[in-house]
Amino acid sequence: MGSSLRVLGVDPGLTRCGVGVVDVGADRRASLVHVGVIRSSPDLPAAERLHLIAQGLRDAVREHRPDVVAVERVFAQQNRSTVMGTAQASGIALLIAAEHGLRTATHTPSEVKAAITGYGSAEKLQVQTMVARVLRLDALPQPADAADALALALCHAWRGGSAGSAAVTDAALTPAQRAWRAAEKARR
């Protein structure tokens, strides 16, 4: 793919931790490298669950050699145990990246949805559909955690993570990417 950026996206969770790896070129075209989910049983102690997630992420980093790791930024939820598990898994992802000397970035769910669909409150099915379209997949990535990990990786690359992205003209962007670029310019 020429000069491309390889991004490992991580949708953190204790039961299902989504992992997606994409290559994104300077023209913002993307291709799928890997998608999967690291699973751990709720019946296991938290330390063992975190160990399984760490091992799965280490394996993904070693096998796919990303340039950067993008992780969903933890946000407030009503369910305290859910947010705690998500925060712990997020910390593991950031730790694994640091162990391998990789750059990291975090993005909120609304940032990811806006980057992928052009709408920060998009439904999961809309995100899955756009991820499948962008990556030219024959089917929607399943489960949703896997699609979210791919969306995180794409979001990071499109938000300026790839080399030469500033030189990309608006004509080369999708409507969602143009909307994101306009929002980024307005925010600055």
Side-chain angles (χ1 to χ4, degrees):
M1 186 177 250
S3 77
S4 65
L5 180 73
R6 180 162 286 184
V7 183
L8 167 62
V10 179
D11 181 41
L14 275 180
T15 303
R16 288 181 319 273
C17 181
V19 177
V21 182
V22 296
D23 284 338
V24 181
D27 63 357
R28 295 188 177 211
R29 289 183 188 248
S31 63
L32 175 67
V33 174
H34 169 78
V35 65
V37 176
I38 302 166
R39 298 180 188 273
S40 73
S41 171
D43 299 331
L44 293 174
E48 288 181 41
R49 297 176 80 186
L50 293 169
H51 176 76
L52 288 171
I53 292 166
Q55 190 57 51
L57 290 172
R58 282 188 187 103
D59 291 346
V61 167
R62 277 194 290 271
E63 182 176 346
H64 302 293
R65 304 176 53 87
D67 301 307
V68 62
V69 176
V71 182
E72 182 178 287
R73 186 177 304 151
V74 178
F75 61 98
Q77 293 178 349
Q78 297 291 349
N79 185 336
R80 199 176 340 180
S81 66
T82 299
V83 79
M84 287 299 296
T86 301
Q88 291 168 337
S90 177
I92 292 294
L94 295 171
L95 171 70
I96 300 307
E99 284 179 352
H100 289 85
L102 298 171
R103 293 177 290 135
T104 62
T106 59
H107 302 284
T108 66
S110 60
E111 288 172 339
V112 173
K113 290 174 184 179
I116 299 303
T117 70
Y119 178 57
S121 296
E123 299 292 326
K124 287 229 180 249
L125 181 58
Q126 291 171 293
V127 173
Q128 287 174 293
T129 301
M130 286 304 296
V131 166
R133 184 174 293 161
V134 168
L135 295 173
R136 298 170 303 285
L137 304 177
D138 293 332
L140 298 181
Q142 296 287 342
D145 310 275
D148 289 348
L150 291 171
L152 275 153
L154 291 168
C155 170
H156 178 73
W158 289 346
R159 290 190 74 201
S162 61
S165 63
V168 176
T169 65
D170 278 351
L173 304 177
T174 66
Q177 292 168 335
R178 282 193 294 276
W180 183 259
R181 180 179 268 184
E184 284 285 296
K185 284 179 185 175
R187 187 175 65 117
R188 288 185 201 132

